[in-house]
Amino acid sequence: MNLDKLQEKIDSANVIEELIMLSNQVLGKSSDNVKNIIEMFIIRSYSMGKKNMVKNPGE
């Protein structure tokens, strides 16, 4: 997959599930462990972003 197209798809994702599905498409036949690790990173990043929004609601 072209990295520019991948970046566009990531930027246009509206929900975390879209990012998880996209990562599964990109990783294809990679091991389940790799897919699980990527999913954990996505979910953790989302949760950190939510916490930061609560700490800095005006930004």
Side-chain angles (χ1 to χ4, degrees), residues 1 9 16 19 24 30 34 36-38 41 45 49-50 55 57-59:
M1 177 177 275
K9 288 184 178 185
I16 194 169
L19 292 176
N24 285 330
S30 297
V34 170
N36 288 338
I37 290 167
I38 298 298
F41 275 117
S45 297
K50 288 294 239 181
K55 289 180 184 176
E59 294 180 3

Side-chain angles (χ1 to χ4, degrees), residues 9-44:
K9 288 184 178 185
I10 291 171
D11 290 344
S12 68
N14 293 318
V15 292
I16 194 169
E17 290 81 8
E18 288 179 20
L19 292 176
I20 293 170
M21 288 188 303
L22 182 58
S23 71
N24 285 330
Q25 289 174 359
V26 170
L27 295 170
K29 295 182 180 181
S30 297
S31 74
D32 286 340
N33 284 338
V34 170
K35 291 179 182 179
N36 288 338
I37 290 167
I38 298 298
E39 186 172 333
M40 284 189 285
F41 275 117
I42 292 170
I43 292 169
R44 181 68 181 138

